[in-house]
Amino acid sequence: MLPAAKHNKLIHLFIGAMLLLGIQPAFSQQTPPVLDKQPISDSMLPTLVTKVATYTATIDHTDFLIRRKFNITPISLNMPEIERKIKGFKARLEKNGSHMNLRSLNSGVIMLTETSDDLSAYQSILSNYSRELTQSNTEVKKILRDPILNAEVNDSVIQEQLEDIRTEGRSLDSLQQKVINRVNLLRNKVSVNLLQATDIISDMRYLTISLKLGIWKQEEAPLFTATQQEYKNNLAEITGNALVRSGKIIMIYLGEKWDVITLGLLVFICIFSWTWLNMHRINKQENKDLVLGPIHFLRRNVLIGCGMALFTYLPYFFANPPMSLLHALELFRLLLLAYLIYPYLAKQSKIIWLIICLLWLYYAMDDLLLESALGERWGLFFSGIIMAAVAIKITNPRQPHFSGIPESPATKTLAIFTLTQAILSIFFNLAGRVTLAKIFGVSAIQCLMLGISLKVFCSMVMEAIYLQSEAYHDSRISAFIDFKTLQHRFVNILWILASTVWTISLARNLTLYDTVIQLCTHFFEATRTIGSMVFTFESVAIFIFIIWLSSVISGFISFFFGSEKLHTTGKRSRLGSMMLLIRLAIWILGFFIAVAAAGIPIDKLSIMIGALGVGIGFGLQNIVNNLVSGVILAFERPIQVGDLIEVGGKMGVVKEIGVRSSKINNNEGADIIVPNGDLLSQHLINWTMQDRNKQVEYTIGIPYNSDIEKVRGIIRETLAGEEKIMAAPVPSITVKQFGERTIDLKISFWVFDLSEAGATRSNAMIKIYEKLTAAGIQLPVSPWPLAEQNVQPDTEAKNMD
């Protein structure tokens, strides 16, 4: 028997060791012992009732969270597949690590990175679960240790509630302990697998760096001296293994990307539905052949055209997919592209296109091979020669490659770039640098094929926009859309996007994608200082991008719903003031979002605003005055788009109300830019503020022997027959004066639209003249002035001299 003190010491050491190992002693998990019941006074009953209600709600809520929120079953079901995948990569790396090429290493890193991201997410979820469960269990234990639960109460209902709290609390405490143990066990398993995946990724990246460092060294014998004995397997065996492995990689990778695939398919369905409905609407028109004249690819087949677009943009929905998946998607794109462009190819270009397709198939297959073979090297050599010949043929400007569709200005540049890479591939293959030969060969054909695909894709985007404008050319929205203007604006954006996509694809083909991403990340995220100001190019780029995006959104709103064409309709519209307010709101909101996204501190922003205030005080008064005047114009609305105004001696129709200035179109077709401050500070005449009615008046002279009332009746009858003359106010016909030879009558009437005042006045005068002449009333002809009649011939001669 050990002494009592020594026995207690051993027990304490044992408990401390288990706690250090993360193991809780069995007796530490037991529910606190039940204390003897103590009677409670009536004055404590309110406190007891409050605690009973609080404890009951806490236990019920905690029990609900455990059974609903802390569900680790999905993670448990996914872990066996993740463990199998990690073990497979580890075994493959240990067995074939020294023989893996850049493509296979890159695919392994991509897939293991996806797995590591999932494990990191699992680890974060389980850590939160463990922390929340521990805190919850502490609260439950605290409730069970409250002595008031063991109080003796005369009220049987309260006593029963106390018993329920004790029973449910013990059950909940036991359940919490079990769940915590399960969560911690799964958490340890996730941590172990995450550590293994990170180690494998690190090893693969090390091998990748080693291969890239030795990529310029001679790997194999020169092509003309190489023999079959130097290679372990033949080309057929290597190809079969590569196809089987690529299929497995695609299935494993896509198994975790259903969200991306679903998003891509939803975009495809929306684009196809939109394009098909527009095409269907145009096919119902009588002049459909004339309207569909500029359409080429979508006219062939809308479904195939949209499918080709799907396989063009879908690869870029994935962050960094393996080459096996990229080549599979590109194969579908190639088949659909061939169907679309084949009828538009010239006779000789059809043969060239067939050769390009065969070259792409060979290089795509070669890119999947894990090992090198003698047959592969000779295939690379002859394929490089054929591709160089095709590139030279494409650069010939005298022979058109397409019939019925315009040539791309980038064709020659793309062909020269392809030719350069093909020559490099041939040279490196001859020198025994097989990796470089494959990289440049694959890059050459991929860049050429992607360039053709992007050209067709951009053309189909413009065709889809054209279909929209023609299908709804009579609609209210299309009245604001000028397809030629939109095409001019949008084509530059398409070229920028196409160039960006092509550059990303080039970096992937040259195995420089990760390097470029790392360099860009370091460039944008590195901290830089100017004096006391600390910033990153990332924050600057975010600020500029959001401001640019705000301007683009503001410009598109102004273009699609603005007032570019309202002045030709002769109608007054409040749309201009509304668009001004919306554009101001977009600019202000964009500025504050840019400041928040860029992480600019508020104190720095106040300094900038203070400096801006000083600049306003010194030299920006006029600009700020015009900006504030624009806001006042938007709210007060003294003028609207379509109004006929007169300001500063200039008269015209309001074409646009801008933030700083407004545009007025005069009768001569010129646009007058008027600062908004002048519209408020000068006398402004708005001819159409209430309506577009205008009074027209002119004078005619009748002979003295005419019956005035008869003439007035004829004129009144003639004016009443004019549809464009308002019946109210009634046209006025009054005697203006008695002239030397005629009685002058003043005729005044109102027209509905001031833009038609001149034509209405002319038509009325002609009809009055015809009616008066038919009634036998001849309007007198004014004689020449007496001074001119008395001029003598000799005087005229002198004047001529």
Side-chain angles (χ1 to χ4, degrees):
M1 295 289 296
L2 292 172
K6 190 172 182 180
H7 178 73
N8 293 335
K9 185 176 181 180
L10 288 176
I11 293 176
H12 292 161
L13 289 174
F14 177 70
I15 295 173
M18 287 193 295
L19 291 174
L20 289 175
L21 293 174
I23 303 174
Q24 296 182 349
F27 52 81
S28 68
Q29 300 180 8
Q30 294 177 356
T31 304
V34 179
L35 301 177
D36 295 335
K37 293 185 178 181
Q38 300 294 332
I40 189 169
S41 62
D42 294 339
S43 61
M44 294 292 294
L45 281 178
T47 303
L48 178 62
V49 171
T50 302
K51 283 193 173 185
V52 167
T54 304
Y55 290 167
T56 302
T58 301
I59 290 175
D60 291 342
H61 179 67
T62 304
D63 183 70
F64 175 80
L65 289 180
I66 288 179
R67 300 183 187 279
R68 296 295 180 90
K69 179 180 178 181
F70 303 107
N71 184 16
I72 61 175
T73 303
I75 301 177
S76 302
L77 295 177
N78 291 336
M79 283 307 298
E81 179 64 22
I82 292 176
E83 291 177 337
R84 186 188 63 79
K85 186 187 302 183
I86 292 175
K87 289 180 180 179
F89 276 105
K90 184 177 181 181
R92 190 178 301 113
L93 181 64
E94 292 175 352
K95 182 179 179 181
N96 302 318
S98 58
H99 302 290
M100 297 177 71
N101 56 17
L102 290 176
R103 297 297 191 202
S104 59
L105 288 172
N106 183 60
S107 300
V109 169
I110 291 172
M111 298 183 66
L112 280 176
T113 301
E114 297 281 343
T115 303
S116 298
D117 293 340
D118 293 339
L119 290 173
S120 298
Y122 293 163
Q123 190 177 44
S124 178
I125 293 172
L126 294 174
S127 297
N128 292 333
Y129 282 1
S130 179
R131 182 175 61 255
E132 293 181 20
L133 284 168
T134 302
Q135 294 175 355
S136 175
N137 185 248
T138 302
E139 293 294 329
V140 172
K141 289 184 180 297
K142 186 177 180 181
I143 292 173
L144 294 176
R145 291 193 182 99
D146 193 343
I148 202 169
L149 294 180
N150 298 283
E152 185 174 350
V153 186
N154 296 327
D155 191 334
S156 60
V157 176
I158 298 178
Q159 190 66 44
E160 185 179 353
Q161 290 178 346
L162 291 175
E163 184 65 28
D164 291 340
I165 291 175
R166 288 194 296 269
T167 304
E168 293 178 2
R170 295 189 191 100
S171 176
L172 180 61
D173 178 64
S174 176
L175 178 62
Q176 284 177 327
Q177 294 295 336
K178 293 179 181 179
V179 175
I180 289 174
N181 291 335
R182 288 179 56 199
V183 169
N184 289 334
L185 180 62
L186 187 58
R187 182 181 171 189
N188 293 334
K189 185 181 295 185
V190 169
S191 299
V192 170
N193 282 275
L194 179 59
L195 182 62
Q196 291 181 353
T198 304
D199 290 340
I200 297 173
I201 291 173
S202 178
D203 293 340
M204 286 186 172
R205 285 178 174 168
Y206 175 77
L207 291 175
T208 301
I209 294 173
S210 300
L211 287 177
K212 289 183 177 180
L213 290 176
I215 199 172
W216 298 96
K217 298 179 181 179
Q218 182 176 343
E219 302 166 311
E220 301 176 13
L223 179 61
F224 293 124
T225 59
T227 59
Q228 182 61 44
Q229 288 75 17
E230 300 176 9
Y231 301 93
K232 296 182 179 180
N233 301 314
N234 56 34
L235 182 59
E237 295 177 355
I238 296 174
T239 303
N241 295 333
L243 290 176
V244 173
R245 176 180 172 275
S246 298
K248 293 180 179 179
I249 290 176
I250 293 174
M251 296 303 297
I252 294 173
Y253 184 82
L254 291 181
E256 301 176 355
K257 295 295 181 180
W258 286 108
D259 53 344
V260 179
I261 297 174
T262 303
L263 177 61
L265 291 177
L266 287 176
V267 173
F268 165 76
I269 292 172
C270 294
I271 294 175
F272 170 72
S273 301
W274 170 57
T275 310
W276 183 84
L277 289 174
N278 290 336
M279 182 69 76
H280 181 69
R281 189 181 181 93
I282 291 177
N283 285 328
K284 291 182 178 180
Q285 300 178 5
E286 295 180 356
N287 58 340
K288 64 177 182 179
D289 293 333
L290 180 63
V291 174
L292 295 177
I295 303 298
H296 300 98
F297 302 114
L298 291 179
R299 195 175 184 180
R300 285 272 293 163
N301 191 293
V302 175
L303 179 61
I304 292 179
C306 294
M308 184 265 169
L310 169 67
F311 291 110
T312 301
Y313 66 74
L314 185 60
Y316 302 95
F317 278 31
F318 303 99
N320 188 17
M323 273 295 173
S324 303
L325 177 61
L326 286 178
H327 290 328
L329 297 176
E330 290 165 356
L331 177 61
F332 291 110
R333 185 187 68 196
L334 175 62
L335 297 175
L336 300 178
L337 177 64
Y339 176 83
L340 292 176
I341 71 169
Y342 190 79
Y344 301 104
L345 292 171
K347 187 175 181 179
Q348 294 183 351
S349 297
K350 291 181 178 179
I351 301 175
I352 295 176
W353 171 252
L354 180 61
I355 296 173
I356 291 175
C357 292
L358 294 175
L359 286 173
W360 184 90
L361 289 173
Y362 171 77
Y363 276 107
M365 184 68 65
D366 184 75
D367 195 32
L368 302 177
L369 303 183
L370 299 180
E371 303 177 30
S372 178
L374 183 61
E376 177 203 8
R377 293 190 61 185
W378 281 107
L380 284 173
F381 176 73
F382 290 114
S383 298
I385 294 175
I386 296 173
M387 184 161 50
V390 169
I392 294 173
K393 187 69 175 178
I394 294 176
T395 55
N396 186 5
R398 292 177 296 180
Q399 296 180 349
H401 304 292
F402 296 96
S403 60
I405 58 176
E407 297 282 342
S408 174
T411 301
K412 186 174 182 180
T413 303
L414 187 62
I416 293 175
F417 187 78
T418 302
L419 175 62
T420 303
Q421 293 188 95
I423 294 174
L424 289 175
S425 176
I426 296 171
F427 171 77
F428 286 123
N429 190 17
L430 292 173
R433 292 163 174 81
V434 182
T435 302
L436 285 175
K438 291 178 62 174
I439 289 175
F440 281 105
V442 171
S443 176
I445 192 63
Q446 289 282 358
C447 290
L448 179 61
M449 186 62 71
L450 182 61
I452 299 173
S453 302
L454 291 175
K455 164 62 179 176
V456 176
F457 176 78
C458 294
S459 299
M460 288 195 298
V461 171
M462 300 310 302
E463 289 179 1
I465 297 174
Y466 173 79
L467 288 175
Q468 170 68 29
S469 63
E470 291 297 325
Y472 297 91
H473 64 278
D474 294 331
S475 66
R476 187 175 181 182
I477 295 179
S478 295
F480 296 98
I481 300 177
D482 184 358
F483 174 73
K484 293 183 179 179
T485 305
L486 182 62
Q487 185 182 34
H488 177 72
R489 293 187 179 188
F490 203 62
V491 71
N492 295 328
I493 299 177
L494 286 177
W495 272 107
I496 294 174
L497 291 176
S499 301
T500 304
V501 168
W502 188 86
T503 304
I504 293 175
S505 178
L506 176 63
R508 283 176 175 173
N509 294 327
L510 297 178
T511 66
L512 298 175
Y513 181 80
D514 293 334
T515 304
V516 172
I517 293 298
Q518 291 175 3
L519 291 176
C520 292
T521 302
H522 176 73
F523 175 79
F524 282 104
E525 294 182 355
T527 303
R528 293 170 172 82
T529 57
I530 297 179
S532 60
M533 182 179 294
V534 180
F535 67 97
T536 63
F537 283 132
E538 181 182 15
S539 61
V540 175
I542 291 174
F543 182 86
I544 295 175
F545 174 75
I546 295 178
I547 294 296
W548 172 81
L549 184 62
S550 301
S551 66
V552 170
I553 294 174
S554 175
F556 268 96
I557 288 177
S558 177
F559 175 71
F560 282 102
F561 304 101
S563 53
E564 292 293 330
K565 297 185 178 182
L566 286 178
H567 69 282
T568 61
T569 63
K571 295 182 179 180
R572 192 170 188 258
S573 174
R574 296 182 179 181
L575 197 59
S577 300
M578 187 185 301
M579 288 304 103
L580 175 59
L581 291 175
I582 294 176
R583 292 175 64 188
L584 284 172
I586 290 174
W587 275 98
I588 295 172
L589 183 62
F591 174 77
F592 283 107
I593 292 176
V595 169
I600 299 176
I602 301 299
D603 55 347
K604 297 292 192 303
L605 183 61
S606 61
I607 295 174
M608 293 170 59
I609 295 176
L612 183 60
V614 175
I616 292 172
F618 279 102
L620 301 177
Q621 298 96 330
N622 290 334
I623 295 177
V624 175
N625 177 35
N626 291 326
L627 293 175
V628 175
S629 298
V631 177
I632 295 174
L633 288 174
F635 280 100
E636 288 191 356
R637 298 179 180 176
I639 62 173
Q640 300 289 348
V641 173
D643 279 345
L644 178 63
I645 66 172
E646 186 176 351
V647 59
K650 304 295 183 182
M651 186 174 182
V653 179
V654 178
K655 182 179 179 181
E656 178 183 349
I657 303 175
V659 178
R660 188 195 65 84
S661 61
S662 300
K663 292 181 182 179
I664 300 175
N665 184 265
N666 63 6
N667 293 330
E668 299 176 355
D671 287 339
I672 305 172
I673 309 299
V674 181
N676 291 333
D678 293 346
L679 294 175
L680 294 181
S681 62
Q682 299 184 13
H683 293 289
L684 174 67
I685 301 174
N686 191 338
W687 292 90
T688 56
M689 188 169 186
Q690 299 298 329
D691 50 48
R692 294 186 61 83
N693 301 342
K694 180 177 176 58
Q695 187 182 37
V696 178
E697 61 180 34
Y698 58 90
T699 304
I700 64 173
I702 61 174
Y704 273 95
N705 59 355
S706 302
D707 185 350
I708 296 178
E709 291 301 324
K710 179 179 179 182
V711 172
R712 293 178 65 189
I714 293 174
I715 295 175
R716 189 178 296 110
E717 181 183 354
T718 304
L719 296 178
E722 288 291 322
E723 295 180 355
K724 297 182 179 179
I725 295 178
M726 298 175 59
V730 179
S732 174
I733 306 167
T734 59
V735 177
K736 181 178 181 182
Q737 66 179 3
F738 294 102
E740 296 181 0
R741 299 179 181 276
T742 61
I743 301 174
D744 295 336
L745 299 180
K746 179 182 177 182
I747 304 172
S748 63
F749 55 84
W750 288 81
V751 295
F752 291 100
D753 196 331
L754 57 84
S755 64
E756 300 175 347
T760 305
R761 178 179 180 273
S762 176
N763 293 334
M765 292 178 67
I766 293 172
K767 290 185 178 182
I768 289 173
Y769 172 76
E770 293 175 350
K771 292 287 183 69
L772 291 176
T773 302
I777 302 172
Q778 297 293 331
L779 299 182
V781 180
S782 299
W784 291 96
L786 295 177
E788 294 182 345
Q789 290 180 351
N790 296 330
V791 175
Q792 301 296 327
D794 56 347
T795 306
E796 294 179 2
K798 291 180 181 179
N799 293 335
M800 293 178 65
D801 292 338

